[in-house]
Amino acid sequence: MKGIFKKLMIGTAAITLVAGLAACSDSEKASGDTKSNYPTKPIEIVVPAGAGGDTDLNTRIMAKAMEKEIGKPLVVTNVTGAGGTAGTQKVNDAKADGYTVLAFHNSIILNKIYGLVDYTYSDMKVAGVGVLDQSNTFLVSKNSEFKTIDELVDYAKANPKKVSVATEVGSMTYMQILQFEEQTGVEFNIVDVGGASDKITALLGGRVDIVPTSLGLVKGYLESGDFVPLGVMAEERLEDAPDIKTFKEQGIDLVVDKVFLWAFPKDTPDDVVATFTEAMSKAVENETYQNEIKKSWLSPVYLNPEEASKKLAEIEAEYEELYKLTEGQ
């Protein structure tokens, strides 16, 4: 009897072991399936800005190119309000399953610096960057007395706070103005007129002298001759705008990169982010995508999560220094 009982015990243990191994195998397979099957439904891309602006346009171009790579629709949702914080908060509060993604730019850094929110890009999982805007400029109207950066600086130095510059306090263009003042020693009359369209309206109406913006946002006005750029804040002249001098050529070492990043809630699984990132890198290589992006004088540049975070950290350090200069003012 003892021999039979012993054999039964050994047999039962063996069956249990086999069942356990099978269960582990099924679990691993299920985990693998989760990774390989993402995404299984449309992905919402949250743009914390209104329709028609550069953030919205660039996001839609990228989303269209990425759909072919990731195999599911990317649905762009515009969430406006509070300088972009309404949109970033929506993503931060979303379920971290890979189906809600943020598409934004440097302002996510500024919102933290100015105390509008208590988080920034480093509190999320950055998926990467697919485009850089190096076409940042100072615009004047066609009737402006300023034809060059030198003329602007000379007049502004002789007439402190007489040159009016449109911006939205706390925005990227505001930082550009501060950087320009810091480098040249001029003092502008900084006028908070609102967003991109408000700045354009102010310049058209002759209410301001200068508008900092991106070339792509005013392409029609440049082609009509209504607006004239005094230069671009880039290391080198833009390939598609070779006649526009850089600020550096004109003695102002001011280089600005507007970085369009995509990011997930911080607890999103790494394998999900990796799948999305791979699709992004392939989309940037797509010739159709590159041609679309270049129409607005933008650079189709892919930065992986590590490269993107490093670039954003450099920008963050610059902004923090500028903010310190204005604290208490």
Side-chain angles (χ1 to χ4, degrees), residues 79-310:
V79 180
T80 60
T85 61
T88 57
Q89 191 65 59
K90 173 180 169 67
V91 177
N92 253 356
D93 293 341
K95 184 177 180 181
D97 57 2
Y99 292 97
T100 307
V101 187
L102 174 70
F104 205 24
H105 50 65
N106 307 32
S107 286
I108 192 173
I109 299 171
L110 292 172
N111 288 340
K112 170 70 178 296
I113 290 175
Y114 278 92
L116 299 178
V117 292
D118 60 359
Y119 58 85
T120 185
Y121 69 93
S122 55
D123 299 303
M124 306 180 78
K125 280 194 177 173
V126 176
V129 166
V131 61
L132 295 178
D133 184 356
Q134 299 171 311
S135 72
N136 299 280
T137 184
F138 274 11
L139 283 182
V140 295
S141 71
K142 62 182 179 182
N143 300 317
S144 173
E145 61 185 291
F146 309 123
K147 306 301 179 186
T148 66
I149 289 291
D150 284 342
E151 291 179 359
L152 169 61
V153 172
D154 289 343
Y155 181 87
K157 281 185 175 179
N159 301 274
K161 295 191 175 183
K162 293 294 185 181
V163 178
S164 56
V165 186
T167 187
E168 185 177 10
V169 172
S171 68
M172 273 194 66
T173 58
Y174 182 60
M175 286 295 168
Q176 291 166 20
I177 295 168
L178 295 182
Q179 287 173 295
F180 190 92
E181 288 184 326
E182 178 70 10
Q183 285 218 20
T184 62
V186 304
E187 282 188 272
F188 289 132
N189 173 24
I190 300 174
V191 184
D192 190 338
V193 300
S197 61
D198 298 312
K199 292 198 287 281
I200 300 306
T201 300
L203 186 59
L204 283 171
R207 293 189 288 113
V208 294
D209 300 307
I210 306 288
V211 164
T213 189
S214 298
L215 293 177
L217 288 176
V218 291
K219 191 172 184 178
Y221 295 107
L222 296 177
E223 291 173 345
S224 68
D226 289 313
F227 293 162
V228 179
L230 295 182
V232 287
M233 303 171 200
E235 287 285 353
E236 300 176 350
R237 294 194 189 193
L238 303 178
E239 181 181 342
D240 297 313
D243 295 332
I244 304 176
K245 293 182 179 180
T246 66
F247 275 43
K248 291 187 73 172
E249 284 181 85
Q250 301 176 76
I252 312 296
D253 189 13
L254 180 53
V255 177
V256 174
D257 286 334
K258 190 173 185 180
V259 179
F260 290 92
L261 73 148
W262 294 47
F264 290 87
K266 64 179 180 179
D267 293 327
T268 304
D270 290 339
D271 58 280
V272 168
V273 178
T275 298
F276 192 91
T277 296
E278 183 180 2
M280 178 180 285
S281 68
K282 290 179 178 178
V284 175
E285 295 172 0
N286 184 285
E287 187 175 352
T288 301
Y289 169 77
Q290 294 183 1
N291 290 336
E292 283 294 313
I293 285 296
K294 287 180 178 179
K295 287 180 181 178
S296 297
W297 292 292
L298 302 175
S299 303
V301 175
Y302 171 70
L303 300 179
N304 65 34
E306 293 75 22
E307 294 167 335
S309 295
K310 181 180 178 181

